[in-house]
Amino acid sequence: MLIVGVLHQAFEEYAHRLSHQLRDEWAKIQGRFIDLPVNTAGEEQIDLISRAIESDHRPKAPSALARTVASLVHRDRPAIASALRSC
């Protein structure tokens, strides 16, 4: 059997507020897994998001906040503006 888990933070961070004894138990569990960290650049993350989200719903007009963010991105990082539009 193969189990693939995707965590948004380091394994030990999930147990940081637990007692020392429980953190040791978490460490034992972590020892059964192999960490494969994936560090992607912001542009890659936006590209992945733009291809992962599919919806038939399109807002009639973007919100004021969306327009502000889009204008800042277009001004500072024009290369990712089109990918962000796809999100």
Side-chain angles (χ1 to χ4, degrees):
M1 180 178 356
L2 175 67
I3 298 174
V4 176
V6 178
L7 306 177
H8 77 289
Q9 61 186 359
F11 200 93
E12 64 269 3
E13 291 298 318
Y14 290 100
H16 79 278
R17 291 186 179 171
L18 299 177
S19 69
H20 184 63
Q21 181 181 7
L22 286 174
R23 282 193 305 250
D24 289 345
E25 293 300 317
W26 271 93
K28 289 178 192 176
I29 294 168
Q30 181 184 11
R32 298 178 186 149
F33 294 90
I34 297 171
D35 288 336
L36 297 171
V38 177
N39 295 320
T40 58
E43 289 85 0
E44 291 175 294
Q45 293 174 17
I46 291 171
D47 181 54
L48 287 170
I49 292 169
S50 71
R51 290 188 286 140
I53 298 174
E54 294 181 10
S55 175
D56 293 332
H57 172 72
R58 295 265 183 191
K60 293 180 182 177
S63 69
L65 178 59
R67 286 192 306 272
T68 301
V69 170
S71 67
L72 292 172
V73 169
H74 186 68
R75 183 190 72 198
D76 296 339
R77 305 192 65 192
I80 63 169
S82 64
L84 192 57
R85 232 177 270 115
S86 299
C87 293

